[in-house]
Each structure stands twice: as C-alpha cells, then as structure tokens.
Amino acid sequence: MIPGSRENHPSFRKSFGFAFQGFRFAVLSERNIKVMLAGFALAVVLGLVAGLDAVRWAIVLLCCGVVLCAELLNTAIETVVDLVSPEYHPLAGRAKDIAAAAVWVLCVFVALAGILTIGSALIDKFL
C-alpha cells in the first residue's frame, strides 16, 4: 500500500488483526518478549500485594507498556535489518546493537521506577 492512497487500504478491523498477528508472532518467536511479559506479570502481582493506588498503577502499567512497545520496535528493526542485510555487515550489527541498547536503557530506568513505585507502596503497607 502506498502511504496516503486509499487503494488496498485494510479496514480498521483488519488493521487490528494485523497488529494482533504481529504481537502473536513476536510472543511466539522472541525470548525477550516472553521475559518482559513475565516481568509485567510480576509487577502486577507485586502491585496487588502492595495495594497500589490508581496513580501508582498508572505508572506501573505505563512503564510495562512502554517496555513492551520498545521491545516490539527492536524486533521490527532487527527483522528489517536482517531483510536488507542477510549477510553480516558491521553497520547492520551496529544498528541491531543500538536498538537493543535502547531497550536495555529503558528497562534500567523502568526497573528503577518500579522499585520506587512498588517499593514505596510496600513500605507504606508493611511498616
């Protein structure tokens, strides 16, 4: 499909189907997505134990969503790089490494935000 063209433009419903298909593919094929979904589940369990208020839940859920989105974008970047550069090329490797580094940096800061958000709620609840 050509951007801006109405020809062969999928319906709104089909677009959601393509998005779900992409998410399903990533979950089934990418280990890091599974790890991040496990982290999301852990954050939800800890949030329930800590009795998070609405603002803290919003922070936790937003952080988890941003991390998942970043990992999906990283997977998309790696897929496109593999498509255009099937043979090893230093620049292709660098692009993939930088995309992975972006996710790693985000995860570090989200982990810190999670520790502050859930940790402070646990302290408030149990001390």
Side-chain angles (χ1 to χ4, degrees):
M1 186 191 92
I2 299 171
S5 169
R6 293 193 180 266
E7 294 180 32
N8 297 325
H9 192 70
S11 68
F12 194 66
R13 186 176 183 187
K14 267 191 170 178
S15 294
F16 272 108
F18 293 142
F20 181 76
Q21 181 180 342
F23 184 77
R24 184 175 181 267
F25 174 80
V27 169
L28 294 175
S29 64
E30 296 294 321
R31 181 198 64 209
N32 286 348
I33 294 284
K34 292 175 188 143
V35 169
M36 290 177 186
L37 286 171
F40 175 71
L42 177 63
V44 168
V45 168
L46 289 173
L48 291 170
V49 168
L52 297 182
D53 60 23
V55 172
R56 286 178 172 153
W57 270 118
I59 292 168
V60 169
L61 294 175
L62 184 62
C63 285
C64 290
V66 169
V67 168
L68 284 173
C69 286
E71 185 57 40
L72 288 167
L73 287 170
N74 179 49
T75 299
I77 289 168
E78 289 181 350
T79 302
V80 170
V81 168
D82 289 345
L83 173 68
V84 299
S85 183
E87 302 293 324
Y88 175 78
H89 190 282
L91 289 177
R94 187 179 304 163
K96 291 169 76 170
D97 290 348
I98 292 169
V103 176
W104 177 78
V105 168
L106 178 63
C107 287
V108 167
F109 282 95
V110 164
L112 293 172
I115 290 168
L116 290 171
T117 304
I118 296 174
S120 66
L122 287 169
I123 289 170
D124 291 347
K125 183 172 183 170
F126 293 111
L127 293 182

